Amino acid sequence: MSLPNRWLLMVLLAHADSPGVVTCLSVSAMRRLTGMSRYRITSQLKKLSDLGLITHHEPGRYAPHASVRKTSIYLLDLAHPLLGNGGRESVNILLPTSNSEHKRTELVDGIVDAALAAGVSSLKIAALIEEYKAIEAANRHASTEMEEATLSKEPLDRVAKVYKANVKKAQNVYHSAMELLPSSYPLEDGIEALLTAYDADDAAWLLTSVHVDAMWLLSSAWTEMIEGGVGLRDPHPEIIASIARRLGSLPNDFKNDDFNGEMDTVAGGNVDCLQDEEDKALSETEPTTARNPDSYSHLVKFCYALSHHLAKHLQYALRSHAHIHGEMDYESMDFMLIPIFHKKPANKSLAMFQLRGYGSSGQKLIQEVCTFPLSVREDLKAYWQTHYHEYFPEKNEPDEALGGSAL
C-alpha cells in the first residue's frame, strides 16, 4: 500500500460509526483531513476498493426534497490481511436476495421495499375506493333520469369487476408488506414520513443505512437483544442518535436558534459543506446524556424499528446455525452485511448478501448458503415503484451523486 492509501484508510477507520462502517464522512471532510484534492480522494478510494479493503461503497446523494445530504457509506473488510488481521476468522452466512422472476421479496434486501410498498398500496386502496364510489354515485344520478326499461347495469358491473381486482391486488401487496415489517410498533406515521421524504432513487441508500444499524445492534448489543433490551421503546442511545444525524432529522426538542446562520448559509450555497455543518451543529448542541426516545422524529424511530426488526431475525438465524455447527462466541463478534454482485459486461446484478461475523483468531469458519426464513410471495419493489409517482410526482430538481461515483 502507498502512503496516501494508508493515510486515507486511517482516516476512514478513525471516523467509523461502528467497526468497519463509515457513514458520516463526506469527501469535503476527507479533503480537509488529508490535504488531498477531490480527484486524489476519489482515486485513492477506488484503489482501496480494488484492494478489497472497501468491500462495498454506497454512493451518497443530495436530495433537495429531503432537506438532507446523504453521505457515502463505506464498509471495510475487518479481516483483510493488510489490516494486520489475517488470522481473524469470520462466520460467513450467504443470504439469497429477492427474485423478481419468482415474484417474491426477502426480508434482508426487501425491508425498505416493504415499508414503501405498504404506504403506496394503502394510498392505492383508498384512491380506488373513492374513485369507484364517485363512479357509482354518478351512475345512480344518471339512472334517476332514465326510464327503468332502458337502464342497463352492465357497464357499472364491468367497472366494478376491474376495481375489485385492483383493490384485491393492492390489499395483497399491503398484507404481504406488513408481514416483513415490525408488528409491535405503530407504523403509520413512520411510513408516511418515509414516503414524503424519500423517493425511488433513495431506496438503495436507505437499505444500506438500515443494514448498517442492524449490524451495529448485533455487534454491540447481542445479549441485550436476546434479553429484550434495546427494543423499540428503549432504543440504543448511540444508534438512534446516529440515525438522526445520518438522516438529518434532528430531535424535536432541538431549538431552531441552535442552528441560526449556519444552516441558512449552506442551504442555498455549497452543498458539499452541508453534512459538515450539520455535524458541527449537532456536536455543539447534543447533550451528553441519553435523549428521550420520544424526542426523535417519526422517521428516525421508524428507521430504528426497521433495523431492530432485521437484527432480531438475523440473530435468530445465526443462533439456529449455532445448534448445527457448535456454539459460537457471537457476543464478541463484529457483524457486517455485504452485498455480493454478479458482474456483467453492461451492468451488475445483486446476487445475495453475505452476513459476516468477525471473531478472534482461531474461531471456527462457517460459510454456507442459508435460506432466510422470512419472505413473501409478492414483488414489492415492482409494485411500489410502479405506483409511487401517482401520489408523489417526481421533483424537477435532480439529485447529485457524492463521494466519487467511480467506486
Side-chain angles (χ1 to χ4, degrees), residues 79 97 148 173 367 394 406:
T97 58
E148 187 69 26
V173 168
Q367 181 165 343
E394 279 187 299

Side-chain angles (χ1 to χ4, degrees), residues 261-277:
E262 292 175 302
M263 295 303 291
D264 291 338
T265 299
V266 297
N270 185 1
V271 172
D272 287 333
C273 297
L274 180 57
Q275 185 67 36
D276 298 332
E277 296 294 340

Side-chain angles (χ1 to χ4, degrees), residues 102-346:
H102 295 92
K103 296 182 179 180
R104 74 167 187 265
T105 302
E106 306 281 348
L107 177 67
V108 174
D109 71 323
I111 191 166
V112 170
D113 289 329
L116 293 167
V120 169
S121 60
S122 64
L123 291 172
K124 186 72 173 177
I125 293 169
L128 285 169
I129 291 175
E130 289 301 315
E131 190 175 349
Y132 179 73
K133 286 180 178 178
I135 293 175
E136 192 177 39
N139 186 275
R140 284 199 303 268
H141 177 73
S143 68
T144 60
E145 301 176 358
M146 299 174 62
E147 295 182 4
E148 187 69 26
T150 61
L151 178 62
S152 173
K153 294 185 179 180
E154 185 179 357
L156 182 60
D157 290 342
R158 287 201 301 268
V159 170
K161 289 181 181 179
V162 172
Y163 273 85
K164 286 180 181 178
N166 290 335
V167 169
K168 184 177 181 180
K169 172 61 178 177
Q171 289 174 334
N172 288 340
V173 168
Y174 177 79
H175 292 306
S176 294
M178 295 302 289
E179 288 183 33
L180 299 185
L181 297 175
S183 58
S184 59
Y185 192 81
L187 301 177
E188 292 78 6
D189 292 334
I191 291 174
E192 181 181 357
L194 190 67
L195 284 171
T196 54
Y198 296 98
D199 60 24
D201 294 331
D202 299 314
W205 186 90
L206 282 167
L207 180 63
T208 302
S209 181
V210 169
H211 284 179
V212 162
D213 297 314
M215 296 303 99
W216 194 351
L217 278 166
L218 291 179
S219 301
S220 62
W222 179 273
T223 302
E224 290 89 335
M225 291 186 64
I226 294 176
E227 296 174 350
V230 296
L232 304 183
R233 301 298 180 185
D234 186 23
H236 191 293
E238 290 184 28
I239 295 177
I240 196 168
S242 178
I243 294 173
R245 286 193 293 270
R246 196 181 314 139
L247 300 183
S249 183
L250 304 176
N252 297 328
D253 56 355
F254 271 20
K255 298 178 181 179
N256 291 332
D257 293 343
D258 295 331
F259 308 98
N260 277 348
E262 292 175 302
M263 295 303 291
D264 291 338
T265 299
V266 297
N270 185 1
V271 172
D272 287 333
C273 297
L274 180 57
Q275 185 67 36
D276 298 332
E277 296 294 340
E278 287 180 344
D279 290 343
K280 179 181 178 183
L282 275 164
S283 65
E284 292 174 349
T285 56
E286 191 168 12
T288 55
T289 56
R291 188 172 291 275
N292 183 347
D294 291 336
S295 67
Y296 289 102
S297 70
H298 293 303
L299 179 61
V300 170
K301 290 187 288 186
F302 180 66
C303 287
Y304 179 87
L306 294 182
S307 296
H308 183 272
H309 185 62
L310 177 60
K312 289 290 288 184
H313 281 278
L314 288 173
Q315 185 181 54
Y316 176 81
L318 283 169
R319 295 177 70 191
S320 297
H321 276 255
H323 295 299
I324 301 174
H325 301 284
E327 195 62 38
M328 303 291 292
D329 186 14
Y330 291 122
E331 187 175 3
S332 65
M333 289 186 176
D334 298 318
F335 291 93
M336 197 173 294
L337 201 54
I338 307 294
I340 300 175
F341 295 93
H342 284 315
K343 294 184 178 179
K344 297 182 179 180

